[in-house]
């Protein structure tokens, strides 16, 4: 089957002088295999192993590489991995037999997942260069991905949609967290990723109804197939906030008689002080983050099973200038250019009240069982505990107590069959979820028990120049909710709700030849209303408004179309992608209008709060993402990315709020394989321009969108070899000009400017040592 | 290989640091203020005038169940006392009399009196004022160890009426909670309505007859 060029997955561009070498080995006997062929079809490179089973391939382009390896009497092995500039070593293990394993196909699929959709892959060096930032920020450089919020509350926006409409999958399990409102960012350690793939467009059939806008697939570092000891140590220092992070990972596949067992242990610690804008300190924005992950894998002829545990903890201060009580004060400080309380702001490392803490624990069991040569069964069980607490500036008696405690426990169980019959691939399965929400403190949303079940199937037909994909899914969710009475005489209110969502998808990818690829997708998706949309009743931190949910909300349904065209050659590449969503019963927060047509205001003891209620309208989104890169001369590359989104409330003929404004980024990179004593050095300058959002409805928001801004970023790095140990050093300066600016997607914009100039230094030490069984 | 051996302990050490210790945390009591009562007692004797704002669900969207007007007699001097209650709990509950917690932390709280019909330290000269309000208490009245400066709290005040008239939302009471920001005091001689968080902000209709 001819390999297809996968547009939208861009190699890191540099001169194509990387070298790949290694051995091809029989996985059962550990004997090296002479006369095996190795092929990298996308780059039109090939090689053969010599009498010692050793091969060399030169002249490769760094980045994502697809390699096929085979030999008579053995199953062809296909693998996709990252190739760095310079020398790379990669061994391949072949299994005797004559049919492609379903697992190999599945791993191709996992990396290439949803090939009919536009997607972006962040891995290898590109991923390393973003480490130290939170997860959403790491993705912010990819075309079509924006960041909503800032600091500890940053979340990704894909194709104009965010929060409840983006699904985050870590290690095969959908991240179950409390996504209420604009406040909470996903609780995943950015150092946990071995690779991150962003799938743009409705991915609901495979990943569930929350994936309306897209999916962020975070895969941990992969266990080695052969006995090895690998891992990395990463150190990051930041100048804005004077903080740092250290992260280490150790993975091993044990040698000798224990080679079926692999282990993984990873840990991260991050600490930073208050951030600063060009003119003042954002007092109380310090953070402390800790993460620990451990895993074990057992393999046998018939499959494998992995158990893992992950603990994530983040304590973060809430900026003193975020006025959380009293609309009068909020509106007064909205008028002023500087945040309220500025004269008391001091730089420091303390995390004071008001602050929030979040803990996220995941324990999971994943297995892949080969039912036959053509069919695998995947079983996954996961338990996630999400614990979020808010500590406000309370009175003395409550000095050690939390004002709000949100506990969300989720159990999920999935069973999926993957099979391959000739040119048809099938994936189908069922998923179940049991979730408990327990809320303590001032009531905001209900306590509930949720039971959900789903079934889906996806079929792909693989022809030589094209692939066709069709799928469908049905989801059912049942809630048993209790809203505690708010006064000492009011009774608890019990309510049962249920929702049904049906999702379908159809897509096509076509290799036009000459480096051109065309993809198209049509999908329908449905999203059930989330608990805050159903039950909210109370003020939100920092926006001085009362949020009211509606238990009568219906399921949101979307029709989505995406078309993208990609072009890829050695010297240049481009990818243009257009999309449109028509969302009926789109749920969003809108100001409630009274009978006089003016903003409805609820008079509570703390003042007159504007009331925002969740409503449903028919909405349309249309957008375009483009990126192009060209290597002008061998040492100079120019890359540019543009994102445009237009959205409208079609029922009321109004603009929607928090739609990302237009943005253009351009980067000029100088790089060479060597420069004097430095290996793989590079230097870049980047211009980022974000235009003012002119399509807004002031009645749905508190303030006009901030002005356009333009930032300049620079970076440089290289590789050192210290007696056989590689050390990658990257230096980055963001906002070199120390510009003052506010971003429309960040809630901070109501109070203060975004942080100013920030410097990052990253040191990365990867290590990889084979622990081969010594043949006598 | 030797570098490998150095890196493994470093990576494992990090995992050890990553196990922070998380103490057990209790949930705070309900901090809601549901009820604000203003009691105007004429200094020369006579029946007190009481005006109450009561919103039983605190921050919820339910409307206030009681929102009295203030009706005073012109040419009279009144003593004004404020009481704040949390009526979501029983009167025997320690969290019921929020006003006691406020005075226990007098150095971090202050009531401000303003609105179109009020003249006070907060508003400065106000030709449209129907009443003049002045503070009659200091932090040291409630907290024996109050440090300098000794500032007013606003639980006890004097209100002097003069002109007659009626102004909707004329008498506005705002309670500010002003704990220090990381050790830097927020309640100072110069702090005011814009400093700290707002716990109460109610504007009563005022009539002086």
């Amino acid at each position: 089957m001819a390999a297809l060029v996968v547009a939208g997955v861009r190699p890191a561009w540099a001169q194509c002088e990387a070298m790949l070498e290694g051995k091809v080995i029989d996985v059962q006997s550990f004997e090296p295999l002479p006369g095996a062929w190795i092929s990298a079809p996308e780059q039109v490179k090939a090689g053969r192993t010599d009498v010692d089973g050793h091969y060399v391939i030169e002249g490769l382009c760094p980045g994502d590489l697809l390699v096929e390896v085979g030999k008579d009497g053995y199953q062809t092995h296909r693998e996709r991995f990252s190739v760095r500039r310079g020398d790379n070593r990669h061994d391949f293990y072949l299994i005797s037999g004559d049919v492609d394993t379903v697992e190999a196909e599945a791993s191709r699929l996992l990396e290439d997942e949803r090939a009919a959709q536009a997607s972006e892959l962040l891995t290898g060096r590109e991923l390393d260069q973003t480490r130290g930032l939170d997860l959403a920020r790491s993705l912010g450089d990819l075309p079509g991905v924006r960041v909503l919020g800032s600091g500890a509350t940053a979340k990704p926006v894909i194709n104009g949609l965010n929060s409840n409409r983006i699904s985050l999958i870590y290690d095969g399990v959908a991240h179950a967290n409390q996504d209420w409102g604009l406040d909470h960012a996903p609780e995943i350690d950015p150092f946990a990723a071995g690779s991150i793939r962003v799938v743009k467009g409705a991915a609901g059939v495979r990943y569930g109804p929350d994936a309306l806008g897209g999916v962020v697939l975070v895969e941990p570092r992969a266990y080695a197939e052969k006995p090895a000891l690998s891992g990395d140590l990463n150190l990051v220092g930041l100048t804005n906030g004077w903080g740092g992070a250290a992260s280490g990972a150790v993975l091993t596949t044990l040698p000798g008689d224990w080679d079926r067992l692999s282990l993984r242990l990873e840990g991260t610690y991050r600490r930073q002080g208050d951030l600063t804008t060009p003119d003042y300190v954002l007092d109380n924005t310090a953070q402390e983050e800790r993460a620990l992950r451990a895993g074990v894998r057992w393999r046998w002829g018939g499959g494998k099973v992995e158990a893992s545990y992950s603990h994530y903890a983040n304590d973060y201060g809430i900026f003193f200038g975020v006025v959380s009580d009293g609309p009068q004060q909020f509106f007064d400080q909205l008028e002023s250019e500087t945040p309220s309380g500025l004269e008391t702001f001091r730089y420091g490392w303390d995390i004071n009240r008001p602050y929030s803490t979040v803990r996220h624990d995941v324990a999971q069991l994943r297995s892949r069982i080969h039912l036959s040569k053509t069919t695998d069964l995947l079983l996954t069980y996961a338990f996630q505990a999400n614990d979020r607490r808010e500590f406000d500036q309370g009175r003395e008696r409550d000095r050690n107590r939390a004002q709000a405690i949100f506990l969300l426990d989720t159990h999920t169980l999935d069973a999926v069959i993957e099979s391959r019959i000739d040119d048809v691939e099938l994936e189908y399965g069922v998923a179940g979820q049991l979730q408990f929400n327990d809320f303590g403190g001032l009531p905001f949303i209900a306590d509930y028990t949720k039971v959900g079940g789903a079934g889906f199937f996806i079929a792909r037909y693989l022809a030589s120049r094209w692939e066709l994909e069709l799928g469908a899914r049905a989801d059912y969710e049942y809630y048993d909710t209790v809203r505690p009475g708010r006064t000492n005489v009011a009774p608890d209110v019990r309510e049962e709700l249920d929702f049904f969502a049906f999702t379908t998808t159809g897509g096509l990818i076509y290799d036009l030849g000459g480096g051109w690829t065309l993809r198209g997708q049509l999908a329908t998706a449905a999203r059930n209303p989330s608990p805050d949309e159903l039950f909210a009743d109370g003020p939100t931190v920092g926006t001085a408004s009362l949020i009211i949910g509606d238990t009568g909300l219906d399921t949101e349904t979307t029709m989505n179309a995406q078309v993208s065209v990609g072009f890829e050659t050695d010297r240049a590449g481009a990818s243009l992608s257009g999309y449109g969503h028509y969302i009926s019963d789109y749920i969003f927060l809108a100001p409630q209008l009274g009978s006089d047509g003016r903003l409805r205001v609820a008079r509570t003891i703390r003042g007159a709060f504007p009331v925002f209620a969740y409503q449903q309208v028919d909405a349309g989104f249309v957008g375009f993402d483009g990126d192009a890169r060209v290597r002008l001369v061998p040492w100079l590359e120019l890359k540019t990315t543009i994102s445009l989104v237009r959205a409208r409330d079609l029922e009321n003929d109004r603009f929607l709020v928090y739609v990302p404004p237009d943005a253009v980024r351009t980067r000029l990179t100088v790089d060479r394989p060597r420069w004097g004593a430095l290996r793989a050095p590079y230097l870049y300058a980047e211009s980022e321009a974000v235009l003012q959002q002119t399509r807004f409805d002031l009645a749905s928001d508190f303030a006009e969108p901030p002005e356009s801004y333009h930032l300049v970023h620079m970076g440089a790095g290289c590789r050192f070899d210290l007696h056989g140990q590689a050390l990658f050093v990257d230096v980055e300066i963001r906002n070199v000009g120390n510009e003052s600016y506010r971003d429309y997607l960040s809630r901070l914009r109501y109070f203060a400017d975004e942080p100013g100039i920030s410097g990052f230094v990253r040191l990365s030490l990867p290590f990889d040592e084979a622990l081969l069984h010594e043949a006598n | 290989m030797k570098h490998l051996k150095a890196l493994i302990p470093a990576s494992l050490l990090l995992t050890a640091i990553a196990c922070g210790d998380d103490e057990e945390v209790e949930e705070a009591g309900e901090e809601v203020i549901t009820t604000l009562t203003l009691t105007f007692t004429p200094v020369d004797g006579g029946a007190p005038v009481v005006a109450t704002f009561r919103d039983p669900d605190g921050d919820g969207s339910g409307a206030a169940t009681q929102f009295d007007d203030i009706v005073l007699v012109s040419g009279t001097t009144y003593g004004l006392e404020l009481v704040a209650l949390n009526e979501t709990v029983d009167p025997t509950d320690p969290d019921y009399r929020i006003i006691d917690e406020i005075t226990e932390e007098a150095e971090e709280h202050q009531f401000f009196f303003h609105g179109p019909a009020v003249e006070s330290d907060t508003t400065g000269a106000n030709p449209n004022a129907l009443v003049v309000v002045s503070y009659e208490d200091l932090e040291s009245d409630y907290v024996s160890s109050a440090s300098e400066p000794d500032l007013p709290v606003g639980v006890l005040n004097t209100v002097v009426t003069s002109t007659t008239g009626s102004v909707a939302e004329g008498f506005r009471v705002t309670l500010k909670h002003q704990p220090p920001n990381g050790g830097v005091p927020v309640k100072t001689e110069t702090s005011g309505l814009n400093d700290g968080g707002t716990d109460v902000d109610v504007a009563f209709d005022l009539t002086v007859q």
Side-chain angles (χ1 to χ4, degrees):
Chain A
M1 185 196 116
L4 296 168
V5 172
V6 179
V9 176
R10 298 174 280 109
W13 282 97
Q15 264 183 286
C16 292
E17 290 188 1
M19 190 256 279
L20 181 70
E21 54 94 10
K23 286 195 170 181
V24 179
I25 298 171
D26 181 310
V27 73
Q28 273 132 5
S29 68
F30 280 98
E31 292 291 322
L33 296 172
W37 55 266
I38 301 98
S39 156
E42 289 170 347
Q43 296 193 23
V44 196
K45 294 279 180 220
R48 274 189 106 77
T49 54
D50 59 16
V51 64
D52 295 322
H54 183 258
Y55 74 92
V56 177
I57 296 178
E58 294 182 316
L60 290 169
C61 304
D64 210 39
L65 184 71
L66 173 69
V67 174
E68 294 177 359
V69 181
K71 184 185 158 93
D72 274 359
Y74 287 85
Q75 295 178 18
T76 301
H77 174 75
R78 191 191 274 123
E79 194 175 330
R80 188 178 277 281
F81 55 95
S82 207
V83 163
R84 303 195 192 99
R85 298 184 193 112
D87 303 339
N88 294 266
R89 191 200 158 92
H90 201 99
D91 292 334
F92 298 100
Y93 283 68
L94 296 186
I95 305 169
S96 64
D98 52 2
V99 176
D100 282 79
T101 62
V102 175
E103 182 171 0
E105 277 307 300
S107 59
R108 173 195 84 96
L109 227 50
L110 181 70
E111 304 230 351
D112 222 26
E113 190 72 76
R114 313 287 295 164
Q117 290 178 283
S119 69
E120 304 292 340
L121 180 69
L122 196 61
T123 189
R125 283 291 286 142
E126 282 185 323
L127 178 59
D128 285 344
Q129 285 161 356
T130 65
R131 295 212 196 265
L133 308 175
D134 46 83
L135 192 71
R137 287 246 177 249
S138 291
L139 305 173
D141 280 349
L142 299 173
V145 182
R146 301 287 285 279
V147 178
L148 180 72
S150 60
T153 60
K155 297 195 286 195
V157 177
I158 302 173
N159 283 3
L161 300 175
N162 69 277
S163 297
N164 295 346
R165 300 183 183 89
I166 304 286
S167 195
L168 190 60
I169 313 269
Y170 178 69
D171 200 8
V173 175
H175 186 66
N177 72 337
Q178 306 181 62
D179 220 351
W180 323 140
L182 301 177
D183 230 350
H184 309 144
E187 303 87 339
I188 295 183
D189 174 11
F191 288 99
S195 72
I196 303 177
R197 174 173 290 278
V198 175
V199 177
K200 300 186 282 189
V205 174
R206 181 64 186 88
Y207 298 109
D210 281 357
L212 222 67
V215 176
V216 178
L217 291 167
V218 182
E219 285 294 321
R221 294 168 181 75
Y223 291 112
E225 293 308 312
K226 56 181 169 105
L229 182 67
S230 65
D232 50 74
L233 186 63
N234 284 284
L235 299 170
V236 180
L238 309 97
T239 61
N240 191 325
W242 295 109
S247 178
V250 179
L251 291 89
T252 178
T253 297
L254 298 177
D257 292 334
W258 288 93
D259 61 1
R260 292 161 186 255
L261 188 64
S262 305
L263 303 170
R264 180 174 78 205
L265 189 62
E266 302 172 7
T268 301
Y269 180 77
R270 186 160 78 96
R271 184 81 172 92
Q272 70 174 71
D274 295 330
L275 298 170
T276 54
T277 71
D279 300 306
Y280 45 84
V281 173
L282 296 174
D283 199 354
N284 209 39
T285 51
Q287 282 191 54
E288 184 184 36
E289 187 182 279
R290 302 183 304 271
L292 178 66
R293 292 175 295 281
V296 64
R297 180 185 70 172
W298 179 263
R299 288 180 296 173
W300 69 95
K304 63 179 178 179
V305 63
E306 295 176 24
S308 64
Y309 171 72
S310 157
H311 173 76
Y312 174 90
N314 192 4
D315 296 344
Y316 58 96
I318 294 173
F319 174 44
F320 283 143
V322 170
V323 173
S324 64
D325 318 89
Q328 178 62 57
Q329 189 182 4
F330 174 76
F331 289 112
D332 285 345
Q333 84 73 58
L334 208 57
E335 309 260 312
S336 74
E337 299 246 309
T338 53
S340 150
L342 182 56
E343 52 293 339
T344 64
F345 294 168
R346 304 282 181 274
Y347 173 77
W349 267 40
D350 298 332
I351 299 172
N352 301 300
R353 288 183 180 240
Y355 67 90
S356 279
T357 64
V358 63
R359 305 282 178 269
H360 192 84
D361 290 279
V362 183
Q364 70 184 65
L365 210 59
R366 283 179 90 173
S367 66
R368 175 182 284 274
I369 297 163
H370 306 307
L371 297 178
S372 74
K373 283 206 173 116
T374 57
T375 305
D376 280 358
L377 167 67
L378 286 85
L379 284 173
T380 308
Y381 166 73
F383 169 67
Q384 299 181 65
N386 187 286
D387 175 328
R388 188 172 270 285
R389 299 175 193 221
E390 289 177 8
F391 296 79
D392 290 333
Q393 289 171 311
R395 281 175 260 278
E396 190 60 51
R397 219 165 285 172
D398 299 316
R399 264 305 116 89
N400 293 321
R401 301 197 281 173
Q403 272 58 43
I405 301 180
F406 304 74
L407 300 171
L408 189 71
D409 291 342
T410 310
H411 300 263
T412 53
L413 183 62
D414 293 4
V416 176
I417 301 267
E418 289 177 359
S419 78
R420 173 79 183 269
I421 301 165
D422 295 329
D423 293 327
V424 176
E425 285 176 354
L426 291 178
E427 253 183 274
Y428 51 94
V430 293
Q433 185 190 74
L434 183 62
Q435 191 174 70
F436 303 98
N437 182 52
D438 182 28
F439 184 103
L442 298 173
F444 178 63
I445 63 163
D447 290 343
Y448 64 82
T449 298
K450 170 176 150 189
V451 180
F456 77 94
F457 88 87
I458 300 175
R460 285 181 200 94
Y461 177 73
L462 311 159
S464 58
R465 294 189 68 139
W466 51 277
E467 248 182 63
L468 176 69
E469 179 181 273
L470 295 171
R473 181 188 176 104
D475 278 89
Y476 174 74
E477 285 179 345
Y478 163 80
Y479 285 90
D480 181 9
T481 76
V482 176
R483 254 173 300 178
R486 299 184 77 114
T487 72
N488 56 347
V489 294
D492 295 345
V493 176
R494 278 198 86 131
E495 195 169 352
E496 294 181 6
L497 301 163
D498 66 3
F499 300 96
F500 179 76
F502 188 68
T503 304
T504 58
T505 187
L508 176 73
I509 167 170
Y510 190 77
D511 179 5
L512 298 165
W516 291 85
T517 313
L518 175 70
R519 295 174 201 262
Q521 187 204 27
L522 285 177
T524 68
R527 183 184 75 87
N528 298 326
S530 65
D532 61 326
E533 292 164 348
L534 294 168
F535 308 119
D537 184 4
T540 56
V541 175
T543 55
S545 58
L546 229 53
I547 310 283
I548 302 187
D550 182 359
T551 54
L553 291 173
D554 282 331
T555 303
E556 252 182 27
T557 51
T558 301
M559 282 173 37
N560 166 271
Q562 263 193 99
V563 175
S564 60
V565 172
F567 171 75
E568 197 95 348
T569 66
D570 273 0
R571 285 191 52 173
S575 141
L576 307 174
S577 179
Y579 60 88
H581 321 301
Y582 172 75
I583 306 181
S584 62
D585 292 329
Y586 175 78
I587 298 172
F588 72 110
L589 266 184
Q592 267 198 346
L593 298 180
S595 47
D596 57 355
R598 303 188 62 200
L599 194 63
R600 185 192 145 196
V601 153
R603 211 166 279 283
T604 73
I605 194 118
R606 285 196 292 164
F609 284 81
V611 178
F612 278 62
Y614 281 103
Q615 294 179 7
Q616 302 198 270
V617 293
D618 291 343
F621 283 74
V622 164
F624 171 80
D625 298 320
D627 65 279
R629 55 225 167 268
V630 61
R631 192 153 278 276
L632 304 166
V633 288
W635 46 268
L636 186 65
E637 179 194 55
L638 179 67
K639 197 160 70 167
T640 184
T641 308
I642 184 168
S643 286
L644 310 172
V645 182
R646 303 283 179 270
R648 200 136 180 96
D649 168 355
L650 298 170
E651 264 177 50
N652 301 306
D653 202 24
R654 280 203 308 241
F655 289 114
L656 291 174
V657 77
Y658 290 112
V659 174
D662 301 339
V664 180
R665 268 200 309 266
T666 304
R667 180 186 285 211
L668 199 62
T669 308
V670 174
D671 60 45
R672 302 190 63 180
R674 282 197 102 100
W675 192 54
L678 303 177
R679 298 192 60 172
Y682 69 90
L683 172 68
Y684 75 83
E686 179 177 308
S687 146
E688 180 180 358
V690 176
L691 304 183
Q692 179 167 23
Q693 178 58 279
T694 53
R695 289 160 292 276
F696 65 95
D697 179 18
L698 194 56
S700 297
D701 201 349
F702 299 107
E704 286 196 10
E707 295 175 354
S708 315
Y709 62 88
H710 176 246
L711 303 177
V712 174
H713 312 299
M714 297 183 66
C718 67
R719 168 186 166 156
F720 295 99
D721 285 303
L722 313 172
H723 303 290
Q725 170 61 47
L727 167 67
F728 292 91
V729 178
D730 298 293
V731 174
E732 184 184 358
I733 303 176
R734 297 192 70 82
N735 193 359
V736 170
N738 203 24
E739 295 287 320
S740 301
Y741 70 100
R742 298 192 185 196
D743 188 80
Y744 179 57
L745 300 181
S746 166
R747 195 164 50 80
L748 190 61
R749 70 177 165 99
Y750 300 124
F751 309 100
D753 295 340
E754 293 287 322
I757 184 171
S758 312
F760 296 85
V761 176
R762 295 182 183 89
L763 301 178
S764 182
L765 294 100
F767 50 92
D768 196 331
E769 204 60 42
L771 299 175
L772 285 184
H773 166 82
E774 292 292 324
N776 55 352
Chain B
M1 224 14 205
K2 54 183 186 280
H3 299 280
L4 192 67
K5 288 182 177 153
L7 285 169
I8 295 172
S11 299
L12 293 179
L13 184 65
L14 273 167
T15 61
I17 294 170
C19 300
D21 85 292
D22 304 320
E23 331 125 16
E24 263 314 301
V25 170
E26 263 181 66
E27 184 187 307
E30 297 273 339
E31 277 236 340
V32 180
I33 301 176
T34 60
T35 309
L36 180 72
T37 303
L38 275 57
T39 305
F40 297 82
T41 308
V43 298
D44 295 329
V49 175
V50 179
T52 300
F53 176 91
R54 176 178 283 121
D55 183 9
D57 69 354
D59 282 339
S61 56
T65 54
Q66 181 176 359
F67 195 177
D68 298 332
D69 295 346
I70 301 172
V71 181
L72 302 175
V73 175
S74 81
T76 315
T77 301
Y78 297 85
L80 168 61
E81 181 177 355
L82 269 55
V83 173
L85 299 173
N86 174 1
E87 292 190 302
T88 65
V89 299
D90 235 40
T92 53
D93 190 302
D95 288 331
Y96 181 73
R97 279 185 60 90
I98 296 272
I99 194 69
D100 293 340
E101 285 184 41
I102 291 169
T103 52
E104 275 167 32
E105 294 194 350
E107 291 181 288
E108 292 179 5
H109 290 89
Q110 188 165 359
F111 282 95
F112 293 93
F113 301 93
H114 54 131
V118 168
E119 179 172 313
S120 68
D121 283 340
T122 310
T123 64
N126 180 2
N128 301 322
L130 299 180
V131 298
V132 178
V133 184
S134 32
Y135 292 114
E136 289 297 336
D137 61 6
L138 294 172
E139 291 166 2
S140 51
D141 296 339
Y142 309 105
V143 178
S144 50
S145 56
S147 57
E148 288 304 309
D150 196 1
L151 298 165
V153 181
V155 175
L156 296 172
N157 308 277
T158 300
V159 177
V160 178
T161 59
S162 49
T163 340
T164 57
S166 198
V167 179
E169 295 184 357
F171 193 96
R172 188 166 170 189
V173 181
T174 303
L175 170 63
K176 301 296 291 190
H177 181 206
Q178 299 169 327
N181 273 352
V184 178
V186 173
K187 184 178 180 186
T188 63
E189 280 137 341
T190 51
S191 63
L193 271 175
N194 291 326
D195 301 300
T198 305
D199 281 352
V200 170
D201 186 10
V202 180
F204 295 86
D205 293 346
L206 174 66
T207 299
V208 176
Q209 53 194 32

